[in-house]
Amino acid sequence: MEAGQGKSLATLVANIEKLEITGSSDVTIQSLILDSRKVTTGSLFIALRGTQTDGHQFIATAVKAGATAILCEELPDQISSDVTYVKAADSAQVMGLIASTFYGNSSEKLTLVGVTGTNGKTSVATFLFQLFRNLGYRCGLLSTVQNQVEDEVIPSTHTTPDAIALNHLLATMLEKGCSHVFMEVSSHAVAQHRISGLHFAGGIFTNITHDHLDFHKTFDNYIKAKKGFFDQLPKSAFALVNVDDRRGSVMVQNTNARVETYSLQTLATYKGKMISDTLAGMHMEINMREVWFRVIGRFNAYNLLAVYGAAVLLGEDPEVVLTELSILKSPPGRFEQFHSADHIVGIVDYAHTPDALENVLQTITELRNGNEKVITVVGCGGNRDAEKRPKMAAIACKFSNRVILTSDNPRFEDPNDILAQMQKGVPPLDYKKTSVIEDRKEAIFTAYSEAGPGDIILIAGKGHENYQDIKGVKHHFDDKEILIEAFGNYPKS
Ligand SMILES: CC(=O)N[C@H]1[C@@H](OP(=O)(O)OP(=O)(O)OC[C@H]2O[C@@H](n3ccc(=O)[nH]c3=O)[C@H](O)[C@@H]2O)O[C@H](CO)[C@@H](O)[C@@H]1O[C@H](C)C(=O)N[C@@H](C)C(=O)N[C@H](CCC(=O)O)C(=O)O
Ligand SMILES: Nc1ncnc2c1ncn2[C@@H]1O[C@H](COP(=O)(O)OP(=O)(O)OP(=O)(O)O)[C@@H](O)[C@H]1O
Ligand SMILES: N[C@H](CCC[C@H](N)C(=O)O)C(=O)O
Ligand SMILES: [Mg+2]
């Protein structure tokens, strides 16, 4: 059965239980479509209950546009006699199963490893992708920064794509000869069943801290979403968890997978120890072997341990893995360093959660030799978890000599409202060292103008992003470009 080619509805729903089918299953489905505006003749339109609207409202539009079949949770009042209706308790979950079959169950033919956790998913998935390519495998990557099939870059719209795009990408990867695929599994993806129907060879848990409560509402729901990934792993898979995170053991409470652990603090299958950390590199001990890495920071020590563990669990030789890991570089916008002519260090980092910001600033604090100043430029995104705003400002103040609060992606919010919420987290004693410069470019330029030789400027929150999302329009904006432009202002007038 060829992936992505027209298939009979009967085949697509063959192994799915508890469906009520109205009309004939003996029809050919040419495409799976989530958005009524994209329906064409032969489509199966999937009606999902979303966060903004209910896809069920668009069933009639989809039928008018030529849909052959509809997957829904509730039948519309008006049934069309030449359309087949498939009624399921949960359209999103069934969509995953159907998408998997439509695209040839590619995940079963690939070695697919998923990474979940609040921070470190992109880093771990990208390191695994780079490592396995260096080991000689053809690989695919699904990440926040970009999707990749070997050297070919496919822009990503989400951390984890929807089930249709996801299964389509996996089929492309298989077609192009990939044997291994490394992907991020976001909590949204688990909650919305974007990964339902996928066959994983392994799952990795990095950590869980405050984020996305706008979507999950409670921390408990957020934990449950992440745990849902491990609950659905098969017996043949491994579940590799960071046991230094106290939720690590919760994640694997009900998993059928083989549980393995990694840690910098306690006994674990993969045990690491930091020996030293400098701007030039990190020295670690991993399972009694000493290694130097190019990437730095305690958070990366965790990421490298996870990658090492996963590679060994996938059958790779530990010595070879460590040698290959030692030369890896951080993914774009993850602790990326820039050096000015007047010896100022600029670090562009995607820290957009309180925990990530604290880790990055903690790492910078540990890297300081003496009296260098740390200047932090940071903002928070609009239409996202508002609770993290004052927390991130407080963390920036705690670890920096100077803080410039600025705009991130305001989306549909007023950036000044976001900044006012951030300011609530600034302790009164830190008012003097904190200022608000809404214009992000001006904020970065100001940071450089105030810095002296040896000082470190951290620009946090946007990392690899090359846009600023203002009222739904993405304007070109790249922290790295602006930093380099600012560094070009040397000598300072
Ligand atoms: C909150 C969230 O996850 N939203 C995702 C969700 O959209 P939604 O639930 O808001 O959809 P909706 O607008 O209510 O519409 C409901 C349904 O009606 C359909 N519709 C709508 C209008 C119409 O005319 N016709 C029609 O058929 C829509 O196609 C949809 O299927 O389903 C859409 C289709 O799959 C996603 O594109 C969309 O991602 C939005 C853009 C998004 O920003 N998501 C972020 C929050 C996200 O998913 N982030 C995670 C995690 C990031 C991290 O960990 O840091 C990620 O994996 O990227
Ligand atoms: N293991 C880790 N623990 C804590 N913080 C980390 C870890 N790895 C990276 N970070 C910090 O978090 C930021 C985001 O890292 P990364 O992009 O790898 O995470 P992510 O989980 O993919 O994020 P997203 O949810 O946006 O996809 C980094 O720029 C760094 O500041
Ligand atoms: N995947 C995260 C990225 C946040 C990045 C930050 N720059 C922001 O815009 O809030 C999200 O969509 O919540
Ligand atoms: Mg990511």
Side-chain angles (χ1 to χ4, degrees):
M1 219 173 14
E2 242 187 283
Q5 298 287 314
K7 285 193 181 64
S8 86
L9 181 63
T11 308
L12 295 179
V13 298
N15 297 317
I16 308 176
E17 287 167 8
K18 295 189 185 149
L19 296 179
E20 274 174 44
I21 299 183
T22 309
S24 168
S25 319
D26 189 20
V27 288
T28 303
I29 301 299
Q30 302 294 354
S31 60
L32 308 180
I33 303 287
L34 270 182
D35 186 334
S36 58
R37 290 161 290 197
K38 297 187 179 145
V39 166
T40 51
T41 313
S43 298
L44 166 66
F45 172 68
I46 298 132
L48 291 185
R49 293 188 203 282
T51 55
Q52 308 300 315
T53 177
D54 184 350
H56 288 80
Q57 283 175 28
F58 307 103
I59 293 179
T61 318
V63 168
K64 234 189 231 158
T68 296
I70 307 289
L71 169 62
C72 53
E73 293 171 9
E74 217 174 296
L75 289 182
D77 295 338
Q78 288 206 332
I79 298 282
S80 170
S81 58
D82 47 4
V83 172
T84 310
Y85 296 83
V86 180
K87 186 171 167 235
D90 189 332
S91 302
Q93 196 191 10
V94 169
M95 167 172 92
L97 304 175
I98 290 182
S100 209
T101 311
F102 189 79
Y103 288 105
N105 293 313
S106 310
S107 63
E108 289 174 13
K109 298 161 199 152
L110 291 160
T111 298
L112 177 64
V113 176
V115 188
T116 200
T118 307
N119 293 306
K121 300 184 293 296
T122 299
S123 304
V124 171
T126 309
F127 286 146
L128 278 166
F129 173 74
Q130 291 174 351
L131 169 70
F132 275 76
R133 286 192 77 190
N134 292 346
L135 290 171
Y137 298 97
R138 287 181 71 81
C139 299
L141 171 71
L142 296 165
S143 88
T144 317
V145 177
Q146 62 194 28
N147 302 315
Q148 226 176 306
V149 189
E150 285 283 288
D151 282 325
E152 187 192 344
V153 172
I154 303 168
S156 71
T157 56
H158 289 75
T159 288
T160 311
D162 67 65
I164 300 168
L166 176 51
N167 280 282
H168 189 181
L169 278 163
L170 292 176
T172 307
M173 289 171 178
L174 187 65
E175 241 167 59
K176 300 212 166 160
C178 295
S179 56
H180 290 67
V181 176
F182 303 100
M183 68 175 281
E184 293 186 47
V185 176
S186 68
S187 55
H188 293 73
V190 183
Q192 295 173 352
H193 302 290
R194 298 181 203 165
I195 56 162
S196 105
L198 294 191
H199 181 271
F200 285 94
I204 301 172
F205 169 71
T206 59
N207 48 60
I208 189 160
T209 53
H210 188 111
D211 203 10
H212 300 310
L213 297 197
D214 53 323
F215 179 77
H216 297 289
K217 308 297 177 215
T218 66
F219 193 55
D220 215 35
N221 286 345
Y222 182 40
I223 294 173
K224 275 190 195 132
K226 295 236 174 265
K227 178 175 174 290
F229 172 44
F230 296 95
D231 290 350
Q232 58 189 271
L233 285 180
K235 220 173 141 190
S236 56
F238 65 78
L240 177 60
V241 292
N242 170 9
V243 280
D244 291 350
D245 186 299
R246 64 194 182 95
R247 303 300 185 329
S249 52
V250 177
M251 288 295 138
V252 289
Q253 246 165 22
N254 304 99
T255 191
N256 288 316
R258 181 160 53 102
V259 176
E260 302 286 356
T261 55
Y262 66 98
S263 165
L264 285 179
Q265 288 167 11
T266 179
L267 278 180
T269 330
Y270 303 100
K271 171 85 174 77
K273 198 171 120 194
M274 290 261 291
I275 299 171
S276 71
D277 197 18
T278 71
L279 277 174
M282 178 167 62
H283 187 188
M284 278 182 78
E285 189 183 280
I286 294 187
N287 281 9
M288 314 296 273
R289 293 178 180 88
E290 276 189 38
V291 206
W292 280 93
F293 295 106
R294 281 196 192 172
V295 298
I296 62 173
R298 195 175 168 80
F299 56 92
N300 268 325
Y302 277 104
N303 296 339
L304 289 165
L305 258 183
V307 171
Y308 170 75
V312 173
L313 287 166
L314 291 172
E316 299 305 313
D317 179 78
E319 288 288 348
V320 179
V321 169
L322 286 181
T323 310
E324 291 295 338
L325 276 183
S326 66
I327 56 168
L328 293 187
K329 290 197 201 135
S330 279
R334 272 61 183 172
F335 216 88
E336 217 174 325
Q337 291 181 44
F338 299 84
H339 297 259
S340 74
D342 49 345
H343 307 289
I344 292 159
V345 182
I347 296 171
V348 172
D349 188 87
Y350 196 43
H352 55 78
T353 65
D355 178 61
L357 190 61
E358 182 155 1
N359 281 313
V360 166
L361 280 164
Q362 186 81 54
T363 294
I364 292 174
T365 305
E366 283 159 17
L367 293 171
R368 283 166 81 169
N369 296 316
N371 50 9
E372 318 85 335
K373 265 192 304 186
V374 174
I375 305 175
T376 298
V377 178
V378 65
C380 287
N383 302 100
R384 292 287 187 271
D385 197 336
E387 274 182 46
K388 65 183 179 185
R389 297 172 184 171
K391 291 186 181 163
M392 286 178 67
I395 290 165
C397 289
K398 183 172 164 199
F399 291 96
S400 320
N401 305 85
R402 170 89 172 97
V403 174
I404 304 178
L405 302 176
T406 189
S407 186
D408 190 290
N409 291 311
R411 301 195 175 84
F412 293 94
E413 285 191 65
D414 179 343
N416 293 310
D417 290 347
I418 300 173
L419 285 163
Q421 291 170 39
M422 288 188 83
Q423 276 177 287
K424 291 208 172 112
V426 177
L429 279 176
D430 291 332
Y431 285 168
K432 245 170 99 180
K433 70 175 183 193
T434 309
S435 48
V436 175
I437 304 178
E438 194 256 304
D439 182 314
R440 195 170 175 96
K441 178 170 177 177
E442 197 188 323
I444 295 171
F445 270 63
T446 304
Y448 175 62
S449 71
E450 292 181 5
D455 290 349
I456 302 173
I457 302 171
L458 170 70
I459 303 171
K462 292 183 60 62
H464 64 284
E465 290 176 357
N466 58 4
Y467 59 83
Q468 204 167 19
D469 186 340
I470 305 172
K471 295 195 167 60
V473 179
K474 288 187 172 169
H475 303 266
H476 181 79
F477 192 98
D478 188 330
D479 282 353
K480 289 180 234 177
E481 275 175 24
I482 305 292
L483 181 65
I484 291 167
E485 195 183 326
F487 279 2
N489 283 346
Y490 173 78
K492 291 175 188 158
S493 47

